[in-house]
Amino acid sequence: VSYAATSEGVSGVDRCVVRDLTLRNGWQGVLIEGSLGSVVEGCRIQTTDHGIWLGMGSDRATLRFNEISQDPYAGASPHMKGWWDNWLAHKVGGFYDRIGIEIRKTIGGHEVHDHLIHDHWDGIEDGGGVGENVGLRVHHNRVFRVADDGLEPNGAEEDARWNNNHIEETCCAFRIKTVRIGPLYAYCNLFIDNGEDYRCFVPHYPGKVYVYQNTSTSASSLTYNKVQGIGTPHYFVHNNLFWCERWWSGGDLKPNWHGDHNVFIRRGTRKEWGQTRDLAKELGIDQKSLWLEAADPGFIDFKGKDLRLKDVAR
């Protein structure tokens, strides 16, 4: 079934199921609001501004096994020619962000999993105040070739878990943005060929964030962007594998997260490797982490985008 210039809406009705539809050319592919326990699964959502929108009053929705794209979307990948011009045209002269799955001011308890989101502007984002979107679960999604952010938690993030996601060819894979309370748990995510993997962005609030057991392959293990005020004193970065060129990038404020027991493997020959390693030592961060040079990160096939670790015989 194909819908033109419209969306599938669920409003004020509980436990509705939207399944196996093709939805095109709407502001939202599926809009859910004022609904308990509704499900969106197995749909193909194309050329919509917002693929699935969970709105006010959404409670314990399940979104799964959907494919969402804005294709054809020229210049979505940061590896494509003209990508930055495309980004500037959208941000400076264009419109607000367009998002594969957007979660705004809902009650919470949602399961968002096993999606393929590609050729879009943003992948998955939530936003809301204290008491909204509580208990969000975002896991086992593949976000590929999006022009801006792959995953963007941008709310209170109370008991939020974003885990086991595969993020590839984005401007920023995981933007940790203004977490108001937390705890936000970001773990077991795989990042490959992104401009940045983890970016801390404008954290005006003292929310708690735990980043652990992720595999990162971007130039910087973490990036600060517009980080001011208190910085990130309640962020904890532990037990991650970073194949990187430098420990940190930014300039707004010196790093002040808690980090240890990470593995940093040098990638390339940039002098910032030594400079930022010395900065970490000066700041007392990652003192028990491993810093390896001229080492193989141990991936089965990085060029083939298989980031599983080799089974090394002992």
Side-chain angles (χ1 to χ4, degrees):
V1 180
S2 178
Y3 290 83
T6 186
S7 63
E8 187 73 11
V10 176
S11 181
V13 182
D14 294 339
R15 298 180 177 86
C16 289
V17 177
V18 180
R19 178 186 293 138
D20 297 338
L21 298 179
T22 297
L23 303 159
R24 299 190 184 102
N25 304 320
W27 174 246
Q28 297 118 355
V30 180
L31 169 65
I32 297 179
E33 56 186 4
S35 176
L36 165 67
S38 288
V39 177
V40 183
E41 62 184 4
C43 293
R44 180 69 176 97
I45 302 173
Q46 298 173 284
T47 324
T48 59
D49 290 272
H50 304 272
I52 303 175
W53 186 307
L54 294 182
M56 190 171 294
S58 298
D59 187 2
R60 285 164 279 179
T62 298
L63 313 179
R64 60 192 178 193
F65 309 122
N66 301 289
E67 182 180 352
I68 302 171
S69 65
Q70 272 192 321
D71 55 336
Y73 194 109
S77 169
H79 300 297
M80 291 180 176
K81 184 178 180 180
W83 164 78
W84 184 241
D85 290 337
N86 174 72
W87 193 94
L88 288 174
H90 184 105
K91 276 289 191 180
V92 178
F95 306 95
Y96 290 108
D97 292 355
R98 284 2 188 198
I99 301 167
I101 297 176
E102 186 160 9
I103 304 159
R104 292 283 175 186
K105 299 183 178 181
T106 73
I107 295 171
H110 311 302
E111 289 277 349
V112 181
H113 66 90
D114 291 281
H115 293 90
L116 172 59
I117 301 174
H118 62 93
D119 297 285
H120 219 294
W121 180 260
D122 281 328
I124 302 173
E125 178 183 355
D126 84 311
V130 177
E132 295 174 333
N133 304 348
V134 175
L136 179 62
R137 303 290 185 261
V138 178
H139 58 93
H140 294 93
N141 301 286
R142 182 170 187 245
V143 180
F144 172 63
R145 201 164 52 218
V146 303
D148 202 37
D149 300 321
L151 303 176
E152 187 172 343
N154 183 23
E157 305 306 322
E158 297 174 74
D159 185 27
R161 302 185 185 186
W162 300 59
N163 61 280
N164 293 92
N165 300 288
H166 181 126
I167 313 300
E168 181 180 346
E169 285 194 34
T170 71
C171 174
C172 176
F174 200 119
R175 184 194 297 253
I176 306 173
K177 186 175 181 181
T178 59
V179 175
R180 290 160 175 79
I181 295 181
L184 164 65
Y185 301 96
Y187 60 94
C188 296
N189 298 293
L190 296 177
F191 303 112
I192 185 169
D193 285 343
N194 301 293
E196 301 170 357
D197 286 345
Y198 274 110
R199 174 190 288 192
C200 304
F201 186 77
V202 203
H204 294 308
Y205 303 92
K208 290 185 177 180
V209 176
Y210 298 90
V211 178
Y212 57 98
Q213 295 179 359
N214 300 280
T215 299
S216 168
T217 62
S218 68
S220 301
S221 63
L222 270 79
T223 297
Y224 268 9
N225 182 235
K226 299 183 180 180
V227 176
Q228 302 173 6
I230 64 171
T232 57
H234 304 300
Y235 287 24
F236 300 85
V237 183
H238 294 271
N239 299 106
N240 300 282
L241 172 60
F242 295 107
W243 188 32
C244 60
E245 300 177 22
R246 58 191 175 218
W247 174 68
W248 166 81
S249 65
D252 312 291
L253 190 74
K254 285 186 177 180
N256 66 339
W257 67 80
H258 302 271
D260 235 331
H261 303 288
N262 296 295
V263 177
F264 299 95
I265 303 173
R266 187 173 189 176
R267 182 179 183 183
T269 59
R270 294 176 63 160
K271 64 181 180 181
E272 287 93 337
W273 168 267
Q275 293 172 343
T276 56
R277 181 184 58 192
D278 293 344
L279 177 61
K281 183 176 181 180
E282 173 190 327
L283 298 173
I285 305 173
D286 280 306
Q287 298 306 291
K288 295 180 182 179
S289 295
L290 291 177
W291 301 79
L292 304 177
E293 300 190 33
D296 186 336
F299 304 133
I300 286 179
D301 183 8
F302 178 73
K303 289 184 178 180
K305 301 180 180 179
D306 187 344
L307 298 190
R308 291 176 299 167
L309 297 179
K310 299 174 184 175
D311 185 6
V312 180
R314 297 185 178 180

